Amino acid sequence: MEPSYKRRKLSPDRVQPRAPSDNEESTDFKLAILASLHPDRSHDVLLDYLLAYSGSVEKVSDALSAPAEERVTRKRNAINGYQSSLASFAATKNGVPPVVKSLTKKGRTLHLFSPGDVKNHTPCSIIHNFLPTEVADALLHELLGEASTFKREKFQMFERAVESPHTVRFYVDSYSEAEEQKAQYTYNGGLVENIGEKSYVYDTISGKTPAKLLEVSTRVNETVDEEAQRRIKDFQPNAEKLKFQSPDEWRPNASFVNCYDGGNESVGWHSDHLTYLGPRAIIGSLSLGVTREFRVRRIIPRVDESSADAQGQIAIHLPHNSLLVMHAEMQEEWKHSIAPAKAIDPHPVAGNRRINVTYRMYRDYLHPKLTPRCKCNVAAVLRYTQKRAAYMWQCTTGSAVGQTSCGWFAWAEFDVDGKPPWAKGYKGNANFPTSLLNETSPVIVTSDR
Ligand SMILES: O=C(O)CCC(=O)C(=O)O
Ligand SMILES: [Fe+2]
């Protein structure tokens, strides 16, 4: 049975607000757009230009496309990455989580190589030499064979259609699910989401998970489960999972496979979509082929534009056959990217290419046939606003090529385990919507079930 959504007016004379994420996301959004258009420029250079041109993406883009002598040049300290051993900084003592110090400074990149440093200073853990060598090589061969079917994602930026600076394909674990994804997860030939998060055109890129990718998913499953439990035990107060994090076992059933062909190919700053994963999602990310830098940085609610990069970035080096686990803190509180590389070491099998698989768990209760629809009658996307520490459903179509957004949004209700009201086993949320009632939302979505 389809759920129905009651819209409740809280006050007749309240004015319809704008979606609250617009302001706080704006610099990230602009940087993501610029990173896609100018993948050869570092984040810091783009930020510098953005400040110099008072936040105008179009002016920055025009300036960066102009011959060198016409560009605005601004003095800034040299930005060099540096390598450290951080073993002395943080350690878990008697189950008390370590105080993670901010080790990076604005404009600096801290390079991390060791698993201990990664787990102590980022919301990730890394396992080197994850698969037996022959399994990793067989998977790499399989995916290099698939890579010719990968596509660049397309999204709308102002009046222009823009392409992502790497190729991707989306896989699901059964034929029926693949068919359903094509039917349900698309909109007019393509569901395209915000560049600040990521954009996916499901009907051109989804397929059934190939044999090796599926086989490896079982190993990833076990390891991610163990790592997730360890993370809670070692890093969460009282060894309790985060609010809204699912207590269920993590079972991957879908994956994005990315191919970066050469050092110029990259992916801009983003958090992964929560729409089908739910709050506090966990992702297993396997790297094969050329070693590249996975950059992470905290999302800092900004007082002014200049603090966008106040804590600098951390670069985690991802060699062939390494598994990175992005834990439950990651998507809501941090952003990640694959930075363009000035130089790469070719891999004996993959040449200049890096293949990355992000294994994900799509939740049945977040299937688009169950989730709220916006005024365009399209399944809304789930977003998180750090400023309000709240989730919301929002119209997605604004970034799709040739479409404009209806601007609709509604606060999203979840129980402590991240289940929405229509999910089986929903425990209720006594605090909702009181924490948001004094805010500007006039519309609350509830379910009949
Ligand atoms: O290539 C990677 O390691 C990251 C890819 C990524 O961020 C994504 O698929 O969302
Ligand atoms: Fe991502």
Side-chain angles (χ1 to χ4, degrees), residues 197-198 200 258 267 270-273 283 294 326 331 336-337 358 360:
E197 298 182 342
K198 217 166 179 334
Y200 301 129
N258 299 296
V267 65
H270 68 281
S271 300
D272 289 356
H273 274 179
I283 293 172
F294 181 74
M326 295 189 233
Q331 306 305 332
H336 57 275
S337 69
T358 56
R360 291 149 193 262

Side-chain angles (χ1 to χ4, degrees), residues 123-355:
C124 301
S125 41
I126 189 165
I127 294 139
H128 291 144
N129 301 311
F130 170 63
L131 296 168
T133 311
E134 62 288 356
V135 178
D137 288 351
L139 179 59
L140 177 57
H141 275 292
E142 178 182 70
L143 294 177
L144 288 172
E146 291 274 308
S148 59
T149 67
F150 294 5
K151 298 241 160 45
R152 288 182 195 280
E153 300 164 314
K154 285 201 178 68
F155 49 86
Q156 176 93 13
M157 209 267 295
F158 308 120
E159 286 79 39
R160 277 176 283 177
V162 182
E163 283 192 338
S164 69
H166 76 285
T167 56
V168 66
R169 190 162 189 208
F170 176 65
Y171 294 96
V172 286
D173 288 358
S174 72
Y175 275 119
S176 57
E177 186 56 21
E179 288 312 305
E180 209 176 312
Q181 291 272 344
K182 287 181 198 170
Q184 300 274 353
Y185 288 65
T186 59
Y187 171 66
N188 281 352
L191 172 59
V192 181
E193 302 209 12
N194 197 328
I195 180 196
E197 298 182 342
K198 217 166 179 334
S199 54
Y200 301 129
V201 184
Y202 287 101
D203 71 338
T204 54
I205 61 172
S206 72
K208 171 151 170 29
T209 307
K212 296 268 178 305
L213 191 56
L214 196 56
E215 200 181 300
V216 167
S217 126
T218 314
R219 296 175 191 256
V220 172
N221 184 345
E222 281 164 17
T223 306
V224 170
D225 265 339
E226 279 165 25
E227 286 293 312
Q229 290 313 316
R230 192 170 308 157
R231 182 84 196 172
I232 292 173
K233 192 166 131 295
D234 293 351
F235 286 84
Q236 294 306 328
N238 305 319
E240 279 168 19
K241 73 168 184 69
L242 292 182
K243 187 176 175 192
F244 302 130
Q245 182 177 353
S246 172
D248 301 341
E249 227 171 302
W250 184 82
R251 292 267 162 270
N253 53 12
S255 53
F256 279 93
V257 183
N258 299 296
C259 178
Y260 305 84
D261 192 357
N264 286 336
E265 296 215 335
S266 62
V267 65
W269 288 104
H270 68 281
S271 300
D272 289 356
H273 274 179
L274 299 178
T275 308
Y276 312 122
L277 307 175
R280 299 301 186 183
I282 294 173
I283 293 172
S285 175
L286 181 65
S287 293
L288 300 165
V290 167
T291 300
R292 294 287 299 265
E293 283 178 28
F294 181 74
R295 301 254 176 120
V296 299
R297 68 174 169 81
R298 268 185 206 281
I299 303 166
I300 304 161
R302 280 182 294 284
V303 181
D304 65 83
E305 299 275 292
S306 64
S307 61
D309 192 29
Q311 289 198 331
Q313 307 169 17
I314 296 176
I316 303 173
H317 289 248
L318 302 178
H320 172 69
N321 196 12
S322 58
L323 179 71
L324 182 91
V325 182
M326 295 189 233
H327 290 287
E329 304 99 295
M330 181 82 171
Q331 306 305 332
E332 279 89 338
E333 293 163 33
W334 294 65
K335 291 203 180 248
H336 57 275
S337 69
I338 294 288
K342 286 200 184 78
I344 50 170
D345 289 331
H347 182 271
V349 174
N352 291 334
R353 287 178 287 180
R354 169 176 181 263
I355 297 281

